Amino acid sequence: MTSTPTPLLNSYSPSIPGRAKVIVVGGGVMGASAAWNLAKAGAAVTLVESDPDSRSTATASSFGWVGASASNPSDNPAAFALRLKALEAFAALEGQLGPLPIATRGALLWLSNEEETAAMIAEHQSAGTRMERLLRAQISDKEPMLAEAPPLAAWAPDDFALEPAAFARQLLAGAQDFGASILQGTVDAVEVTGSRVSGLSVGGQRLTADTVVLANGLGAQALASTAGVHLPIHPSPAVVLRFRTEAHGLRHLLCADDMELRPSLGGGLVSTADYPANAESGFPGLAARSADAIAHLLGLTVAPALISIAAAQRPMTTDGEPLCAYVGEIDGLFALVAHPGVILAPFLGQLCATSVLGRC
């Protein structure tokens, strides 16, 4: 049984004559960025989001690390170059949106031995990343709560961590300031008239548009199929854990021995982990191991208490390249799907707006 979409943040209003009418599907960071950039550029935007409070979306379950040091340049040179370009888009955001929900700035990284860490630093420095070598005493100055600082670590001062869900909400509020409307409802299908998209069916109600932007992660694949279009994306699960601890004293992002850890903007700690082989039945054991590892790393006498553990299916493209383009053989259907979404969202949102409004 379907229900008529109800307003999430403000009601739907018809587009002003002469303005491109665009519907964006998905209120995560990618859809929010598309809506903000499109509305800022003058489009009449409606964003449709099915569940604004869901904790199982890719955005809600993202670690929120923004920076060049999260991967090595040699892992995927093209992806690394794109990441560097995408990071430039963050520079202008605070001037337009106000302070971003940043939990911490700066990242410390080290691998299993000094040689590997030194090689990582050298590779990043050769690629133009602003990365420094820190010895044990310098590391301890940065992070006094470490139980035992490594002999060598990389310091990435430009990296930062933000709260992805709060960032998406900030972008949505900014889109509304430019006149965007946001509806809560479940999209049933993409509507096609002749050879072009004409809108969406949302809970049995028809919404018209010149362009539909599918920015709802894996859900974009099922919606595109209603218009006879196949999107080359597949799921990749990831787990984010939040812990409560009042005395951790962690100051920066840490990436050490396969652990990613950061302070939360609201207090406590955030960590990531691989999805257990035994699925959600493995969550209790995963949470216990992660808590013990954090206690060992930070020298805590008591392991931190788990606040939440959530898994999400990250949308991965088949070729690893972002999907930010018109798709299929009908006019007006645009797909915006990429990983890592938080890093790429501001840049791809700009690209989406340029592509859509340049064609309308």
Side-chain angles (χ1 to χ4, degrees):
M1 179 177 179
T2 58
S3 59
T4 301
T6 56
L8 171 58
L9 296 177
N10 65 285
S11 61
Y12 173 79
S13 58
S15 64
I16 297 172
R19 293 172 66 190
K21 192 174 182 181
V22 183
I23 298 177
V24 178
V25 182
V29 69
M30 200 66 75
S33 178
W36 180 65
N37 279 281
L38 283 160
K40 182 162 63 78
V45 177
T46 298
L47 182 140
V48 183
E49 169 60 43
S50 61
D51 186 359
D53 299 319
S54 174
R55 295 184 178 182
S56 62
T57 64
T59 293
S61 300
S62 172
F63 185 60
W65 184 351
V66 178
S69 62
S71 65
N72 286 328
S74 60
D75 293 342
N76 187 327
F80 185 78
L82 176 62
R83 182 172 296 191
L84 290 180
K85 181 180 292 186
L87 291 174
E88 297 174 5
F90 275 95
L93 280 180
E94 284 194 281
Q96 300 176 69
L97 288 173
L100 304 180
I102 293 176
T104 189
R105 292 185 183 273
L108 280 168
L109 309 91
W110 63 91
L111 302 179
S112 57
N113 57 60
E114 291 182 67
E115 291 74 16
E116 291 180 359
T117 302
M120 174 185 67
I121 296 171
E123 181 179 344
H124 272 277
Q125 289 177 336
S126 297
T129 306
R130 196 158 77 99
M131 183 176 281
E132 304 169 16
R133 295 169 57 100
L134 295 186
L135 301 180
R136 179 171 278 129
Q138 297 169 301
I139 299 165
S140 295
D141 285 341
K142 292 284 187 188
E143 287 293 350
M145 283 298 293
L146 285 175
E148 183 179 2
L152 177 68
W155 168 244
D158 297 330
D159 287 20
F160 59 91
L162 53 69
E163 300 296 346
F167 181 44
R169 290 193 296 270
Q170 186 177 22
L171 285 164
L172 289 176
Q176 286 185 286
D177 289 341
F178 287 112
S181 299
I182 303 178
L183 298 179
Q184 183 176 351
T186 300
V187 181
D188 304 313
V190 176
E191 298 277 351
V192 178
T193 301
S195 62
R196 68 164 295 108
V197 164
S198 56
L200 295 175
S201 172
V202 184
Q205 176 182 337
R206 189 170 185 271
L207 300 180
T208 62
D210 302 309
T211 300
V212 169
V213 176
L214 301 180
N216 56 326
L218 286 171
Q221 192 171 54
L223 279 183
S225 69
T226 65
V229 176
H230 172 72
L231 298 185
I233 58 178
H234 62 275
S236 174
V239 180
V240 168
L241 306 95
R242 291 182 178 268
F243 294 93
R244 180 182 296 108
T245 177
E246 287 74 29
H248 61 79
L250 189 66
R251 298 177 178 178
H252 306 99
L253 277 157
L254 292 185
C255 182
D257 297 331
D258 297 324
M259 176 185 289
E260 292 181 355
L261 186 67
R262 68 167 176 86
S264 171
L265 187 58
L269 296 167
V270 184
S271 182
T272 62
D274 292 332
Y275 193 73
N278 52 346
E280 293 192 9
S281 64
F283 279 8
L286 175 62
R289 291 191 299 274
S290 297
D292 288 342
I294 292 170
H296 177 76
L297 181 68
L298 300 182
L300 302 176
T301 56
V302 178
L306 181 70
I307 298 174
S308 66
I309 179 169
Q313 297 289 347
R314 299 169 298 182
M316 314 294 284
T317 59
T318 302
D319 61 4
E321 298 291 324
L323 181 55
C324 182
Y326 283 96
V327 292
E329 297 181 357
I330 54 175
D331 291 335
L333 184 62
F334 194 98
L336 182 57
V337 181
H339 178 78
V342 173
I343 293 176
L344 297 178
F347 172 72
L348 293 182
Q350 291 178 359
L351 186 59
C352 171
T354 299
S355 300
V356 168
L357 297 183
R359 183 161 167 174
C360 287

